[in-house]
Amino acid sequence: MSIFLILGLVVATLIVLLRLKRSLGFSVLCSGLLIWLLLKPEPHLLVDGVVSMLQRSRTYDLVGSLYFVVCLEIELRQSGCLDGMVKYLQQLTSSKKLSMAIMAAFLGLLPSIGGARFSAPIVKQIAQGEAISCDRLSAVNFWFRHICEFASPIVPGIILACSVAGIPVIDLICHLAWLTPAAFVIGWIVLYHNVTLNEEKRIEISGAQKRKERFDFLLSFTPILIALVLMMTFKLSAWAALGITVLATGLLLKLCRRPVQIADVLIRAVEWRLFRDVFCIFFFMELLESTGLLQALVANVTQSAMPLEWVIAVLSFMVGILTGIVAAAAPGNLEMLSIAMVCGLGGQMLTPTHMCLTISLDYFKGDFFKTVGLCAICEALLLAAYGISVWLFPIH
């Protein structure tokens, strides 16, 4: 059977199950089992997939990261810091749209997949009481969180891709940085189309209240800074850095007379449904590799008569859709690496295996198709803009 026909059946199965309102984890799991059944129905591969998933450090790094990010959110919400931070933002700008976009983008700098869970409650808090759908809130949190990936030197994908291709990170960033403001503008136009939010009326408050809200704002960002320092300076894994950050934040809040019950926080942070979906997605990724689907896909595309630029673009986009991993490009070729990065990130923004999408949909209870549909429009416009730039200004 053709690999593309199998891929089409898998995608169709995923769409049907999601349309039937099955959970994302269950839908992805069934799609993975269909791949196994059509390509390599050997029972040991299922066992091997589970074992391999449980042996990979990335599994526990992600689950631990998500868990501790939820802990941080509970700490900040119970201590009142989250509410104070939103009020401080409202003093800086009366635009709720701008506040949501900026907060999601800024927190997107956190080099952890779980960061989407950190920005979600802030976006929800800002939009509280407004006539904006859960689908759009999911899309806003998801889209704006990723707009800095073209210009940030701490994005793991950029670091890894540059390392593989042998190109300095700064060269790639200088070449792609313009896509960040472009993504912001596109997201603003598409995601806020026909959305009217009430502007916050600036209320005169006392100097003491201003200082309190400013302090809440600083307290809310302190965990992000602690996590960044631990990950970048001490090279700790995301889950370890965030675990230490949870304890440090609890101590800091106690010193600031905003105590929270750490034991209660640790218990309430367990979100079984989210963890279940994460394990299903990781098992799906294991089946992609063990059944040989990814290898067959690469072989079929590379053997085509398409130009190298198109081969890299198609592979990066398709691999991005399947696994959320940016494909490696031709060593030392900045243009090829740029194409791989942009198309790979484009694929990631449309895949149900992207954890940030899973987290956003789970938190806001948004509809998968409506949320991805909005992001697909944004991504199509962004890819079109990049394609035009490559055509007009090729790298020689």
Side-chain angles (χ1 to χ4, degrees):
M1 186 181 295
S2 167
I3 195 67
F4 295 105
L5 177 57
I6 292 175
L7 191 59
L9 290 173
V10 169
V11 172
T13 299
L14 181 62
I15 291 174
V16 169
L17 289 173
L18 289 172
R19 280 293 185 189
L20 293 174
K21 304 299 182 181
R22 303 304 183 196
S23 70
L24 182 58
F26 176 79
S27 302
V28 170
L29 176 62
C30 290
S31 299
L33 292 175
L34 179 60
I35 293 173
W36 168 78
L37 189 63
L38 294 175
L39 278 178
K40 217 171 185 180
E42 300 173 10
H44 73 89
L45 289 181
L46 298 179
V47 178
D48 292 346
V50 173
V51 172
S52 179
M53 175 186 67
L54 295 177
Q55 288 179 339
R56 290 185 188 269
S57 60
R58 71 181 183 187
T59 303
Y60 303 101
D61 192 36
L62 175 58
V63 173
S65 297
L66 288 175
Y67 174 71
F68 288 124
V69 166
V70 176
C71 287
L72 283 174
E73 186 242 317
I74 294 173
E75 285 182 322
L76 295 177
R77 188 176 68 248
Q78 287 187 348
S79 64
C81 292
L82 196 62
D83 184 60
M85 179 177 67
V86 172
K87 289 180 179 177
Y88 181 71
L89 279 173
Q90 292 168 350
Q91 291 296 320
L92 295 178
T93 174
S94 59
S95 172
K96 290 186 175 182
K97 294 179 181 178
L98 185 61
S99 295
M100 287 192 290
I102 289 178
M103 289 305 301
F106 183 84
L107 292 173
L109 295 173
L110 180 67
S112 167
I113 299 175
R117 183 58 174 75
F118 196 83
S119 59
I122 299 173
V123 170
K124 184 176 182 179
Q125 181 84 3
I126 295 172
Q128 191 171 16
E130 297 289 347
I132 179 170
S133 69
C134 296
D135 313 312
R136 286 191 182 268
L137 287 177
S138 298
V140 166
N141 187 61
F142 180 53
W143 178 261
F144 285 108
R145 169 171 165 73
H146 294 89
I147 66 172
C148 292
E149 292 195 341
F150 304 104
S152 173
I154 63 173
V155 173
I158 283 185
I159 297 172
L160 177 60
C162 288
S163 175
V164 171
I167 290 175
V169 172
I170 189 63
D171 289 356
L172 182 63
I173 289 177
C174 288
H175 185 59
L176 297 180
W178 67 274
L179 287 170
T180 289
F184 183 91
V185 172
I186 289 171
W188 186 281
I189 294 172
V190 175
L191 302 182
Y192 290 142
H193 178 64
N194 286 337
V195 173
T196 302
L197 302 182
N198 296 317
E199 291 194 351
E200 286 293 333
K201 295 181 179 179
R202 296 184 181 233
I203 303 174
E204 290 297 325
I205 58 177
S206 65
Q209 183 66 18
K210 285 183 179 179
R211 288 191 293 272
K212 177 187 177 299
E213 291 176 0
R214 187 183 302 116
F215 187 62
D216 286 338
F217 183 83
L218 294 174
L219 270 180
S220 297
F221 276 109
T222 298
I224 304 297
L225 297 177
I226 293 174
L228 282 172
V229 169
L230 290 173
M231 282 186 251
M232 297 180 65
T233 304
F234 299 98
K235 308 299 181 184
L236 293 181
S237 61
W239 75 269
L242 288 167
I244 294 172
T245 301
V246 168
L247 297 178
T249 301
L251 178 60
L252 179 62
L253 290 172
K254 185 174 182 179
L255 292 174
C256 295
R257 298 182 180 179
R258 307 280 190 87
V260 294
Q261 296 296 323
I262 294 296
D264 180 61
V265 168
L266 295 176
I267 293 172
R268 295 183 61 185
V270 178
E271 297 188 356
W272 294 111
R273 186 176 64 177
L274 180 58
F275 295 154
R276 176 202 64 197
D277 288 350
V278 168
F279 280 109
C280 287
I281 289 171
F282 273 138
F283 183 59
F284 171 80
M285 293 169 68
E286 294 292 341
L287 290 177
L288 287 180
E289 295 181 14
S290 62
T291 59
L293 177 65
L294 283 182
Q295 298 88 328
L297 182 62
V298 171
N300 275 267
V301 176
T302 52
Q303 290 172 6
S304 70
M306 290 190 295
L308 180 60
E309 292 85 353
W310 280 99
V311 170
I312 290 177
V314 171
L315 278 177
S316 298
F317 190 81
M318 295 180 75
V319 173
I321 286 180
L322 288 173
T323 64
I325 301 172
V326 178
N333 191 318
L334 178 58
E335 185 170 52
M336 296 301 142
L337 177 62
S338 300
I339 292 172
M341 283 296 300
V342 175
C343 293
L345 289 172
Q348 289 184 62
M349 294 301 291
L350 304 178
T351 171
T353 63
H354 191 154
M355 291 302 165
C356 290
L357 177 60
T358 302
I359 293 166
S360 296
L361 290 171
D362 180 78
Y363 187 85
F364 292 104
K365 304 299 184 288
D367 180 86
F368 175 85
F369 294 99
K370 292 179 180 178
T371 299
V372 172
L374 289 168
C375 292
I377 296 173
C378 293
E379 195 57 53
L381 293 173
L382 190 64
L383 288 174
Y386 177 71
I388 293 172
S389 74
V390 171
W391 178 54
L392 294 176
F393 309 104
I395 299 176
H396 298 290

